[in-house]
Amino acid sequence: MEQKVKNKIKELLNSKSLKATKTRKDVLQEVLQNKKATPYSNIQKAMRDSDRVTLYRTMETLVENGIIHEAYRQENEVYYAICNIGCSNNSHTHHHLHFMCKSCETVSCIEIEETNKPNIPNIKIEDFSISAEGLCQNCLATN
C-alpha cells in the first residue's frame, strides 16, 4: 500500500477516534484506491479473508462515523465512497451528485455548485441526496 494512502487511512480513523484495525484499513484502502464509488461486491472480493459479520460491522461503523457513505444503490448492489470532511456520526453532508454511468457502470461523486434541499412544512429533512444516471465522459467519447 502506498504511504500516502496509509497516511490518509490513519488520518481518517484517528479523526473519528477509531482503532486502525486490519479490516478497517483494508476496507478503506479498497475504497480509496478506486477513486470512484466502490461496489460492495468488490469490497467483499478484496476482503475474502474476513468473515461476513466482521465486514458488515466494519462497513456499518465506517458509515456511522462519517468516514464512508452509501453513494448509490442499484438492485442488489450498494456503492460506497469516502465522505467529506464535514461528515460525522450525526450527519452526512454531501453537496454533490451521485452519478451512475449506464454503460461502464461506474459511480462517481460529482461536486455541484448548489443543492437545493427541499423545504417541506412540518417535516425535518435530515438527509438529502441527488442521484443521476447517464453516460460518463469516457463512454460518451467512445460512442
Side-chain angles (χ1 to χ4, degrees):
M1 181 181 349
E2 183 181 313
Q3 190 61 41
K4 185 177 177 182
V5 173
K6 282 183 183 180
N7 291 341
K8 176 74 172 170
I9 290 169
K10 187 175 179 180
E11 176 186 320
L12 286 168
L13 293 170
N14 284 340
S15 72
K16 306 297 180 174
S17 301
L18 292 174
K19 290 182 181 178
T21 66
K22 180 179 180 350
T23 305
R24 289 175 184 165
K25 291 188 295 187
D26 291 347
V27 166
L28 289 172
Q29 177 186 347
E30 186 65 25
V31 175
L32 282 168
Q33 75 184 11
N34 286 323
K35 296 185 173 108
K36 293 188 183 279
T38 306
Y40 183 68
S41 60
N42 287 11
I43 295 169
Q44 282 181 307
K45 286 175 194 167
M47 303 291 298
R48 64 182 164 269
D49 293 336
S50 294
D51 69 90
R52 237 181 28 179
V53 175
T54 300
L55 180 57
Y56 175 80
R57 287 182 181 154
T58 297
M59 298 299 290
E60 192 174 56
T61 298
L62 295 175
V63 170
E64 287 174 356
N65 283 277
I67 295 176
I68 62 173
H69 69 279
E70 187 178 302
Y72 194 83
R73 182 179 290 266
Q74 177 188 9
E75 296 173 23
N76 294 329
E77 187 73 271
V78 178
Y79 292 75
Y80 291 94
I82 295 294
C83 283
N84 296 329
I85 293 170
C87 293
S88 70
N89 55 350
N90 298 326
S91 153
H92 286 270
T93 55
H94 300 280
H95 299 289
H96 59 253
L97 174 99
H98 296 124
F99 179 79
M100 162 63 105
C101 178
K102 292 176 116 180
S103 180
C104 66
E105 296 186 351
T106 58
V107 175
S108 304
C109 297
I110 301 172
E111 294 299 321
I112 54 178
E113 290 286 323
E114 187 176 320
T115 55
N116 293 326
K117 188 175 181 181
N119 186 7
I120 304 168
N122 303 316
I123 302 276
K124 179 184 176 195
I125 296 173
E126 294 179 350
D127 188 24
F128 179 72
S129 64
I130 302 171
S131 296
E133 295 180 0
L135 294 176
C136 69
Q137 186 176 7
N138 291 338
C139 291
L140 273 173
T142 59
N143 287 337

